[in-house]
């Protein structure tokens, strides 16, 4: 259905969509910041702009097919596993051989990471926005438009924070692990195999995902740095 732009219901839905984008786009902004942190300052803006452009294009496709994929079992499970791998990979230091790679390779590698991660993480966002839009195409498009400046603005803030506080990388990877854990736990195929669980189980699954990412990421980081004869302080 299409909502009347002059109605209170329309603007209530607008407010809901804005809140959804503010809450859910922060995770995507962390991905952008993590993926671009090793780029030169001149390339970071390009990485953010191209990454967001690709991510938004995929969001349009996801929005169109949101109703079709919403209840498919094992979709969130597969996406959560992929997101766990992305979160761990983003914690690892660059290989020394990477210094021989041309800057363009670094840039498009970051763009690819942004697009893939956003594709994985945007399913919940798109489904939530579609629900708040009540079938209104205008509201769906509005939700996508709102997400663009939110992601760009917040990712730039996180990038500046990472320059001053490197520990933000660890926090960001843990946040992605938390999202992945909840995605895996909330998959219909997974919940169908489990007995009834208390309401806090989803948060516990997210916490387990965060701990897994941090533990595995730090272990792999130590192994890589040991090979490079670098001492972690």
């Amino acid at each position: 259905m299409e909502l009347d732009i002059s109605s209170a219901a329309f603007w209530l839905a607008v407010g809901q969509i804005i809140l959804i984008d503010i809450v859910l786009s922060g995770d995507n902004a962390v991905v952008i910041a993590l993926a671009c942190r090793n780029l030169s300052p001149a390339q970071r803006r390009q990485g953010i702009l191209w990454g967001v452009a690709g991510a938004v294009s995929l969001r349009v496709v996801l929005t169109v097919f949101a109703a079709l994929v919403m209840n498919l079992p094992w979709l969130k499970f597969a996406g959560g596993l992929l997101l766990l791998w992305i979160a761990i990979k983003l914690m690892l230091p660059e290989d020394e051989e990477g210094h021989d790679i041309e800057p363009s390779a670094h840039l498009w590698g970051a763009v690819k990471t942004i697009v893939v991660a956003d594709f994985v993480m945007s399913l919940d966002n798109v489904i939530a926005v579609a629900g708040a839009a009540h079938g209104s195409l205008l509201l769906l498009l509005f939700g996508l438009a709102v997400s663009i400046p939110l992601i760009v603005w917040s990712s730039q803030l996180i990038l500046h924070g990472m320059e001053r506080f490197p520990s933000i990388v660890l926090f960001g990877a843990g946040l992605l692990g938390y999202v992945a854990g909840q995605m895996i736990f909330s998959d219909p195929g997974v919940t169908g195999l489990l007995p009834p669980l208390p309401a806090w189980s989803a948060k516990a699954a997210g916490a387990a995902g965060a701990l897994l990412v941090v533990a595995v990421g730090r272990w792999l980081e130590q192994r890589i740095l040991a090979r490079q004869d670098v001492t972690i302080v």
Side-chain angles (χ1 to χ4, degrees):
M1 68 175 181
E2 291 295 331
L3 299 179
D4 184 0
I5 193 173
S6 63
S7 67
F10 179 90
W11 292 107
L12 178 61
V14 167
Q16 291 174 341
I17 290 174
I18 291 175
L19 288 175
I20 289 170
D21 278 316
I22 289 175
V23 171
L24 296 181
S25 292
D27 299 331
N28 303 76
V30 170
V31 169
I32 293 173
L34 289 172
C36 294
R37 77 182 191 276
N38 289 325
L39 296 177
S40 65
Q43 288 183 319
R44 287 182 179 178
R45 183 176 297 274
Q46 297 179 51
I48 290 173
L49 291 177
W50 282 108
V52 170
V56 169
S57 299
L58 281 175
R59 284 197 183 198
V60 173
V61 176
L62 283 175
T63 301
V64 173
F65 292 102
L68 298 177
V69 302
M70 184 181 300
N71 296 317
L72 288 179
W74 306 113
L75 181 64
K76 285 187 177 182
F77 179 83
L81 292 179
L82 179 58
L83 187 56
L84 284 175
W85 175 80
I86 290 173
I88 292 172
K89 186 173 182 290
L90 288 173
M91 285 186 61
L92 305 182
E94 284 188 301
D95 293 331
E96 290 184 346
E97 293 80 2
H99 297 299
D100 297 330
I101 300 176
E102 294 296 325
S104 59
H106 282 290
L107 173 63
W108 292 112
V111 170
K112 181 178 69 174
T113 298
I114 292 169
V115 172
V116 172
D118 191 88
F119 176 81
V120 172
M121 298 175 63
S122 291
L123 183 59
D124 288 342
N125 184 294
V126 169
I127 292 174
V129 170
H134 303 291
S136 170
L137 178 61
L138 176 60
L139 282 173
L140 284 174
L141 296 176
F142 179 85
L144 290 170
V146 168
S147 68
I148 300 173
L150 280 175
I151 295 175
V152 174
W153 176 72
S154 54
S155 63
Q156 290 175 335
L157 282 182
I158 294 172
L159 273 172
H160 291 308
M162 283 180 175
E163 292 177 346
R164 297 185 59 185
F165 307 103
S167 60
I168 294 178
V169 175
L170 184 66
F171 173 79
L175 177 59
L176 300 185
Y178 184 87
V179 174
Q182 289 198 321
M183 284 181 65
I184 293 172
F185 181 81
S186 62
D187 185 277
V190 174
T191 55
L193 298 176
L194 299 176
L197 296 172
W200 50 262
S201 300
K203 293 183 178 180
L211 289 174
L212 176 65
V213 165
V214 172
V216 175
R218 287 291 290 176
W219 178 69
L220 291 175
E221 180 187 27
Q222 290 179 9
R223 287 175 59 87
I224 292 173
L225 294 178
R227 289 198 301 266
Q228 298 175 356
D229 294 325
V230 175
T231 302
I232 299 178
V233 296

